[in-house]
Amino acid sequence: MLSSLQQQSGNRVTSEVDAGLTRLVQKLSAKRGLHHVSLAVSGADGQRHWAGASGPADTTEPQVRPEAPFFIASITKRFIVTLVLQAHERGELDLDAPISTYLPASVTTGLHVRRGVDRTAQTTVRHLATHTSGLPDFLERRRGEPSLYRQLRAGQDISWTFDDVLDITRNQQRPHFDPQDLNAPRQRARYSDTGYQLLLRILEAVTGRTFPDLLADRITGPLGLTGTWHPAAAPADPDLPAPLPLHIGRRRVDLPKVIASADDLFSTTTDLLAFERALVAGEPFADPNTRHLLTERRNRLSNAPVLRYGLGTMFFTVNRLMSPLPKPVTLVGHSGSTGTWLFTCPELDLHLAGTVDQTEAQSLPFRIMAACLRIWAN
C-alpha cells in the first residue's frame, strides 16, 4: 500500500538524515499491521530537529500531519511524577509518607492484603511512583472476567471509575509482593497503573486541585505547551488539527469512554520534545537537582523485563547489535501501550517522540527508536 509523507516545516538535519527518516516513516506506515506513524527527533540544543508523519495515500481520510496531537497513553506518567516532585518540593506531600497519610480509609483499607495481612499502611508515595508497592494493575488479569487490557486491545470502548479501580484491586486481584524495602540496593518492581491512579488522587487531595487544573497551572502553562491537555479540559491552542485516531491494524476504532476514564493526556510531538528538554534540565522544579530523583533507581520490571524503572521513568538498553555506537546506549523516558514514546538518548544527546496509535503496540516504539538512533548517528 502506498503511503504519503508530511514533513514539519523548518526541519534542520543533513540530507542523509532527512532521507533516512523519510524512508523509515514511509516504510512503517506501509506495513499491513499499521495505519500511520508520526515521529520527531531533536538534538539536545534544539538546533538539529526533524518531524514527519506518514499514512495511507489511497484513502479519503485526512492526511496524517506531524503537528497533529494524539493520545499519549502512559507517557502521562512523566507528567504525573513531575507534579508529584513539585508537590514534594512545596511541602504538600512527602515521598516517603504512607499513602494513608493523604487518602481516606475508605480508599486504603484492604487495598494491599497479602497472606491475610493488610500491608497498605506500609505503602508509601515513593512505592507507587517506582512500581515497588506490589499492588496489581487493575487493567490486567482479574478473577472471573477478561482483563481490561484484553478488551482494549479488541477495540471495545469501555469506561471505569476510580471506585471500579478500587473494587477490582480488592476483590478481583491480589498483590504480587510486599511493599519493598526502599533502603535495599535493589527492589522488586512490577508495573502498575493502579499505583498512578492513587498518585493522582493523592495530588488532588493535598493540593485541593483537579489533575487538569494542576497540569495547566504547574506544567503546560509555565512551559508554554499549548498542544497538551487533559480530555476533561481543552487545548490552549484552538487551531490544532483533530487528534490522530487509534487503530487496530488499519481499522479505525473510536474509544471516547476509554479516553475519558484513563486520565491520560493528548499532546503533540513538538510539545512532548519541549517537555522532555525541560525535564532533563530540571526546569519544572524549584531546584533543578530535583530531576535526579527521576533516575536514582533502576529496578527491572518483572512484567516487562526488558525495562528498568526509576521514578516515573523507564530505562531501555539498546544492545550492541542495534546500537549506533560500538557499545550499548540507553533510552530514558516513557512509552505508552498505544505505541507512543518520549525518550532521551544521553549518549547521543537526542530526544525522540512519536506514535503509531495502535490499541496494542507496546514493543514497537523501541524498535522504531533504535532505527532512529542509527539514522541520526550516521
Side-chain angles (χ1 to χ4, degrees), residues 33-320:
L34 294 179
H35 179 269
H36 63 260
V37 61
S38 176
L39 70 82
V41 293
S42 173
D45 60 4
Q47 294 302 305
R48 295 176 67 200
H49 52 83
W50 188 96
S54 183
D58 51 348
T59 178
T60 57
E61 297 178 11
Q63 289 184 320
V64 180
R65 297 165 59 185
E67 64 269 27
F70 54 92
F71 182 64
I72 69 172
S74 281
I75 293 175
T76 301
K77 290 180 174 64
R78 293 286 269 173
F79 290 84
I80 294 172
V81 82
T82 299
L83 291 172
V84 168
L85 290 179
Q86 289 175 335
H88 179 66
E89 283 189 322
R90 292 168 179 240
E92 294 166 337
L93 60 78
D94 183 343
L95 290 174
D96 297 311
I99 63 173
S100 53
T101 305
Y102 308 114
L103 297 173
S106 60
V107 171
T108 60
T109 300
L111 202 59
H112 192 307
V113 177
R114 192 163 184 262
R115 296 172 182 160
V117 178
D118 189 348
R119 305 173 194 273
T120 312
Q122 303 169 24
T123 304
T124 66
V125 174
R126 196 187 299 268
H127 279 124
L128 300 183
T130 56
H131 296 308
T132 54
S133 69
L135 284 168
D137 189 329
F138 75 97
L139 293 171
E140 292 183 343
R141 180 182 298 180
R142 49 188 180 150
R143 288 195 293 269
E145 296 185 54
S147 72
L148 295 180
Y149 264 138
R150 179 180 294 181
Q151 295 178 66
L152 294 176
R153 288 194 295 265
Q156 296 181 38
D157 190 24
I158 53 178
S159 62
W160 61 85
T161 65
F162 183 58
D163 285 340
D164 293 329
V165 173
L166 299 178
D167 179 66
I168 291 169
T169 304
R170 287 195 184 103
N171 302 315
Q172 300 179 48
Q173 297 177 319
R174 58 186 179 185
H176 297 286
F177 47 79
D178 295 348
Q180 295 292 285
D181 177 1
L182 297 182
N183 292 316
R186 289 286 182 269
Q187 297 85 33
R188 296 180 67 182
R190 187 178 177 92
Y191 193 89
S192 173
D193 289 280
T194 303
Y196 273 74
Q197 288 291 307
L198 291 166
L199 282 177
L200 282 177
R201 272 64 199 182
I202 289 171
L203 281 169
E204 293 181 339
V206 301
T207 64
R209 310 287 300 283
T210 66
F211 178 34
D213 285 346
L214 284 172
L215 179 76
D217 288 350
R218 297 187 178 184
I219 299 181
T220 59
L223 295 180
L225 307 181
T226 59
T228 302
W229 76 96
H230 187 279
D237 181 358
D239 297 323
L240 283 172
L244 296 171
L246 291 169
H247 287 75
I248 298 177
R250 291 197 173 270
R251 176 171 66 89
R252 174 172 173 161
V253 289
D254 295 308
L255 304 174
K257 294 179 182 177
V258 170
I259 290 171
S261 300
D263 266 323
D264 287 333
L265 308 178
F266 286 95
S267 190
T268 65
T269 56
T270 298
D271 267 16
L272 289 177
L273 290 177
F275 173 64
E276 183 69 8
R277 282 193 296 270
L279 197 57
V280 168
E283 292 176 14
F285 308 118
D287 179 359
N289 288 320
T290 296
R291 72 189 189 278
H292 296 307
L293 294 176
L294 296 166
T295 55
E296 66 178 1
R297 299 174 188 274
R298 299 193 181 194
N299 292 308
R300 190 177 300 280
L301 293 172
S302 60
N303 53 344
V306 299
L307 298 173
R308 295 183 183 273
Y309 209 89
L311 201 74
T313 304
M314 289 177 174
F315 303 86
F316 178 79
T317 299
V318 181
N319 63 34
R320 285 185 178 88

